[in-house]
Amino acid sequence: MILLQISSAQGPDECTLAVKKALERLIQEATKLNVIVDILEEEQGQHAGTLRSVLIVIQGEKEQQLFKRWNGTIKWICESPWREGAGRKNWFIGVTQFDPIQEMMESDIRFETSKASGPGGQHVNKTESAVRVVHIASGISVKVQSERSQHANRRLARLLLGHRLRQLQNMQQAQLKAERRLFHHQVERGNAVRTFIGMKFTPQD
């Protein structure tokens, strides 16, 4: 299990579109490798269909193969969809790994279920598919309702809570918070591990 963040860093709106396209491409490649991708957190971009950053977990026998292909700076060569005639066509985003998610005992946590709200149609609103998991000792809780099944939301909620607890531990040591802030500001330009071209995000490898 590998925890990854895809980030537009301090890049312009085009980079937030690149994050969305990179996530979609990564999921396609993961499917071919029988690697499971779970989305833990998303930060929406200014434009619809864009992401400033996304936190994911990849799991499977070939997770390292997928990770090695994506870890580092990603270059996207494409004309801006929002700035007609703009000269710049190179956009950079970053993919980085974070500490493994903390394991938890069943006795350390409490699960609560409720009816999901928001998008999802009648089915999602009629079933108690939303899951909140609470870490009893710290009081930290997270709620997940992105999936239709309670079982799937329960698994994702547990993963996200583990990540939040790991964040708390590392922030107490002033490590993870500094690392993530630094990563947002220091996506390396000009040394891309992969390059994609055009709105179809076609890989050049």
Side-chain angles (χ1 to χ4, degrees):
M1 181 168 60
I2 301 175
L3 183 65
L4 294 177
Q5 181 185 4
I6 309 174
S7 174
S8 63
Q10 298 300 303
D13 290 338
E14 290 80 3
C15 294
T16 67
L17 181 57
V19 170
K20 177 67 172 180
K21 289 184 175 294
L23 174 63
E24 293 170 349
R25 175 67 63 174
L26 188 151
I27 291 173
Q28 290 176 10
E29 294 182 3
T31 300
K32 292 180 181 179
L33 294 173
N34 292 318
V35 173
I36 297 172
V37 179
D38 288 314
I39 298 173
L40 297 184
E41 289 183 324
E42 292 181 335
E43 182 182 348
Q44 301 296 320
Q46 181 177 350
H47 296 273
T50 65
L51 292 171
R52 186 153 297 282
S53 69
V54 60
L55 187 69
I56 64 173
V57 172
I58 61 174
Q59 302 177 75
E61 290 185 3
K62 296 183 179 179
E63 62 185 35
Q64 283 291 338
Q65 180 180 334
L66 182 65
F67 165 67
K68 288 178 181 178
R69 295 197 70 194
W70 284 91
N71 185 38
T73 298
I74 305 298
K75 181 181 180 180
W76 181 36
I77 303 173
C78 187
E79 292 185 3
S80 172
W82 300 297
R83 289 184 273 190
E84 187 175 352
R88 180 178 174 184
K89 295 182 180 179
N90 295 334
W91 317 101
F92 296 89
I93 62 173
V95 180
T96 193
Q97 179 183 17
F98 286 99
D99 291 337
I101 294 173
Q102 176 175 306
E103 295 295 327
M104 294 172 290
M105 302 290 291
E106 287 294 326
S107 59
D108 295 333
I109 56 180
R110 180 179 74 251
F111 287 98
E112 303 169 356
T113 60
S114 62
K115 291 183 179 180
S117 60
Q122 293 182 348
H123 174 77
V124 82
N125 291 321
K126 288 183 177 180
T127 61
E128 290 201 347
S129 58
V131 174
R132 182 184 300 277
V133 61
V134 181
H135 185 247
I136 298 171
S138 66
I140 294 175
S141 68
V142 297
K143 182 178 180 180
V144 174
Q145 59 179 30
S146 57
E147 304 295 328
R148 285 185 175 272
S149 77
Q150 184 185 119
H151 176 75
N153 284 331
R154 184 184 179 99
R155 182 173 66 87
L156 291 183
R158 184 178 181 129
L159 286 172
L160 183 54
L161 179 62
H163 174 62
R164 292 280 176 82
L165 290 173
R166 174 68 71 184
Q167 278 188 308
L168 178 62
Q169 288 180 344
N170 288 340
M171 282 194 293
Q172 290 173 342
Q173 301 169 6
Q175 292 179 352
L176 183 60
K177 187 175 182 180
E179 288 174 6
R180 293 190 69 169
R181 185 188 305 115
L182 185 64
F183 174 63
H184 275 293
H185 286 273
Q186 293 188 349
V187 170
E188 184 179 4
R189 269 73 175 172
N191 190 25
V193 296
R194 298 190 71 180
T195 299
F196 297 85
I197 292 182
M199 292 303 288
K200 292 185 177 180
F201 213 70
T202 304
Q204 299 300 292
D205 50 21

